[in-house]
C-alpha cells in the first residue's frame, strides 16, 4: 500500500485528496520509482483548476526525484538502485511511489540532491528552452523577466546573467526584490512601479528585445509596451489568468512586434531533447552559474496547502513536497 494525491473533480486546492493505492509491477518500458522529493509547479494549479484539462480521476504533477525500485522488460538506461529524476510524463508525481515510463527518467549526478533535483528539473528545462531556443539571449542585451523571484524566475535570471544579459526583474514585494537582485538581476522593479517608463530609462529609451512574461492576462499590454521595434513577447504562463483576444493590430502599431506562447512539451518531446536540455542544465548547476535553492518545503500530504501558498504569491524560488 502506498499513497498519492488524487483529484476527482476540478476546483480549488481542496480537491487534492490524499489517497491509498496499490501499485502493480512495471510493464514493458516502465519503471517503479520511490520518490524522495516532488516538484511543485504553477502549471499543477492549472491542471487542478481545469484550465489545462486532464482526464479524471487523476494524479497530479510531472516532476520528482527518487530511486528506481524495479524495471520492466526492455528498460536499458536505468537499473534498480539508480538515483533518477524527471520533469515530464503522465500526471502522478504527487505520490510516494509510482510507475513511470522509463524514457522520461534521467540519472542524477551524485552532487545533485533529490530536493535540488525536484526544485530544478521542470523549471530548469523551461529556463533552458526559453533562453536558448525560443529566443537566444545575447551578451550585453537588456531583457525583462516577470516573477523573477519565483521558481522559474530565480533559475532563468541567473542563467540569463551567465549568458551576459542584463536582466530587469519584476516582482511584487521588497523582499522578493532583494532576492532577485542576489540571483542574477541587474535591476528589479516592483509590479506597482511604472514598468514601461523604468524599462525605457534603463534601455536609453529603446525598450528590450525580449520580454519573458509568465503572468499573462494582467501584464500583456505592459509587456508589449516594453518591447523595442520588432521585439518578441514570450508569454509563457497564466499566473494572473490566460491571455485572450489579442488584437494583432496591437503588434503592428508598436512597430511589428512578435508574440509566442511556448510550452515545454514543444521543446522537449523526445529523449534527444531531454538529454540535451539536462546536459546543459546540469552543467550550469555544476559550474555554479545557476545556484538552486529550495525556497520552501511541504509534506506531500499537505499539497493543498502548498497550492494555496503558491497561488497567494507567498512562495519564493522553488518549492518541494516531501513524501
Ligand atoms: P512561481 O514560483 O514563479 O510562482 C508564480 C509567480 O507569479 C508568483 O510568485 C508571483 O510572483 C507571480 N504572479 C504574478 N501575478 C500573479 C497572480 N495574479 N497570482 C499568482 N501569482 C502571480 O511559479 P513557477 O516557477 O512554477 O512558474 C512560473 C510561471 O512559469 C507560471 O506562470 C508557469 O505557468 C510558467 N511555466 C511555463 C512553462 C512553459 O513551458 N510554458 C513551464 C513552466 C512554468 P510575484 O509575487 O513576484 O509577482
Amino acid at each position: 500500500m502506498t499513497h498519492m494525491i488524487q483529484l476527482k473533480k476540478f476546483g480549488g486546492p481542496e480537491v487534492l485528496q490524499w489517497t491509498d493505492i496499490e501499485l502493480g509491477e512495471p510493464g514493458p518500458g516502465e519503471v517503479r520509482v520511490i520518490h524522495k522529493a516532488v516538484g511543485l509547479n504553477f502549471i499543477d494549479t492549472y491542471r487542478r483548476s481545469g484550465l489545462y484539462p486532464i482526464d479524471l480521476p487523476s494524479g497530479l504533477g510531472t516532476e520528482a526525484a527518487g530511486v528506481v525500485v524495479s524495471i520492466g522488460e526492455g528498460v536499458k538506461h536505468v537499473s534498480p538502485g539508480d538515483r533518477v529524476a524527471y520533469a515530464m510524463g503522465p500526471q502522478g508525481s504527487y505520490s510516494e511511489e509510482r510507475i513511470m515510463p522509463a524514457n522520461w527518467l534521467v540519472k542524477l549526478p551524485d552532487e545533485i540532491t533529490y530536493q535540488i533535483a525536484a526544485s530544478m528539473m521542470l523549471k530548469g528545462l523551461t529556463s533552458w528552452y526559453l533562453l536558448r531556443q525560443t529566443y537566444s539571449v545575447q551578451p550585453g542585451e537588456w531583457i525583462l523577466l516577470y516573477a523573477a523571484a519565483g521558481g522559474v524566475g530565480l533559475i532563468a535570471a541567473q542563467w540569463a546573467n551567465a549568458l551576459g544579459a542584463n536582466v530587469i526583474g519584476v516582482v511584487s514585494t521588497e523582499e522578493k526584490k532583494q532576492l532577485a537582485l542576489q540571483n542574477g538581476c541587474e535591476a528589479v522593479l516592483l509590479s506597482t512601479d511604472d514598468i514601461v517608463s523604468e524599462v525605457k530609462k534603463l534601455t536609453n529609451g529603446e525598450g528590450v528585445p525580449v520580454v519573458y512574461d509568465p503572468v499573462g492576462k494582467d501584464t500583456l499590454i505592459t509587456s508589449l509596451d516594453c518591447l523595442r521595434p520588432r521585439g518578441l513577447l514570450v508569454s509563457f504562463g497564466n499566473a494572473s489568468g490566460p491571455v485572450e483576444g489579442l488584437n494583432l493590430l496591437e503588434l503592428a502599431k508598436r512597430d511589428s512586434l512578435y508574440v509566442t506562447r511556448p510550452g515545454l512539451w514543444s521543446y522537449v518531446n523526445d529523449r534527444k531533447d531531454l538529454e540535451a536540455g539536462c546536459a546543459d542544465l546540469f552543467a550550469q548547476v555544476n559550474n555554479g552559474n545557476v545556484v538552486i535553492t529550495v525556497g520552501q518545503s511541504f509534506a506531500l500530504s499537505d499539497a493543498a496547502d502548498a497550492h494555496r501558498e503558491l497561488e497567494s504569491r507567498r512562495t519564493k524560488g522553488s518549492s518541494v513536497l516531501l513524501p
Side-chain angles (χ1 to χ4, degrees):
M1 177 77 73
T2 177
H3 297 92
M4 69 181 288
I5 293 284
Q6 198 183 45
L7 63 158
K8 293 187 173 148
K9 59 179 182 181
F10 298 121
E14 70 285 351
V15 301
L16 302 179
Q17 299 293 327
W18 187 240
T19 310
D20 295 343
I21 46 159
E22 288 292 347
L23 272 189
E25 283 308 307
E30 292 179 338
V31 171
R32 183 166 172 156
V33 185
I34 185 160
H35 290 150
K36 302 289 188 185
V38 175
L40 175 73
N41 289 286
F42 214 90
I43 192 172
D44 305 335
T45 70
Y46 310 146
R47 295 198 171 110
R48 186 208 72 218
S49 69
L51 178 66
Y52 292 179
I54 50 177
D55 291 336
L56 299 179
S58 177
L60 194 65
T62 58
E63 180 181 43
V67 181
V68 173
V69 178
S70 54
I71 60 174
E73 197 189 315
V75 173
K76 300 259 187 295
H77 72 286
V78 292
S79 312
D82 281 349
R83 301 170 71 250
V84 293
Y86 60 89
M88 305 185 68
Q91 296 301 310
S93 65
Y94 286 23
S95 55
E96 293 172 331
E97 214 170 327
R98 75 177 296 189
I99 308 285
M100 254 310 273
N103 57 350
W104 290 115
L105 298 180
V106 293
K107 281 199 206 177
L108 273 185
D110 290 344
E111 55 280 10
I112 297 182
T113 66
Y114 296 117
Q115 289 199 35
I116 294 294
S119 297
M120 74 174 203
M121 287 292 292
L122 198 154
K123 299 167 189 80
L125 287 172
T126 300
S127 302
W128 168 71
Y129 87 76
L130 289 174
L131 301 171
R132 308 299 302 268
Q133 297 188 56
T134 307
Y135 177 89
S136 177
V137 167
Q138 299 300 311
E141 282 182 337
W142 286 88
I143 69 170
L144 184 64
L145 172 69
Y146 283 89
V152 172
L154 286 188
I155 297 175
Q158 292 180 79
W159 200 329
N161 179 53
L163 291 169
N166 301 309
V167 183
I168 307 169
V170 182
V171 299
S172 63
T173 66
E174 194 58 44
E175 202 184 345
K176 288 184 179 183
K177 178 172 177 170
Q178 295 312 318
L179 185 64
L181 284 169
Q182 290 154 14
N183 285 276
C185 288
E186 187 70 25
V188 179
L189 308 175
L190 291 175
S191 14
T192 46
D193 289 342
D194 182 343
I195 309 268
V196 178
S197 69
E198 294 300 324
V199 166
K200 291 277 160 78
K201 264 189 233 162
L202 286 162
T203 57
N204 294 322
E206 276 184 22
V208 289
V210 64
V211 175
Y212 290 105
D213 183 350
V215 177
K217 190 171 143 206
D218 287 357
T219 47
L220 173 73
I221 297 301
T222 303
S223 291
L224 295 178
D225 284 339
C226 289
L227 286 165
R228 73 180 185 202
R230 287 182 283 147
L232 173 67
L233 168 60
V234 182
S235 176
F236 69 101
N238 325 281
S240 67
V243 171
E244 285 164 0
L246 170 62
N247 180 344
L248 295 185
L249 288 178
E250 297 295 327
L251 308 182
K253 79 181 186 202
R254 289 175 177 79
D255 278 320
S256 305
L257 301 180
Y258 296 82
V259 177
T260 181
R261 178 58 180 85
L264 177 59
W265 50 91
S266 313
Y267 289 85
V268 180
N269 59 20
D270 62 19
R271 190 82 213 157
K272 193 166 126 281
D273 296 337
L274 178 65
E275 285 175 2
C278 286
D280 204 353
L281 172 62
F282 293 167
Q284 298 303 320
V285 172
N286 282 341
N287 69 19
N289 281 344
V290 176
V291 177
I292 308 288
T293 45
V294 182
Q296 47 279 304
S297 60
F298 305 85
L300 175 60
S301 53
D302 293 337
D305 289 338
H307 275 220
R308 286 184 193 101
E309 291 295 297
L310 186 61
E311 288 177 294
S312 319
R313 303 165 84 156
R314 285 194 289 265
T315 59
K316 293 190 275 302
S318 298
S319 309
V320 292
L321 305 172
L322 300 178

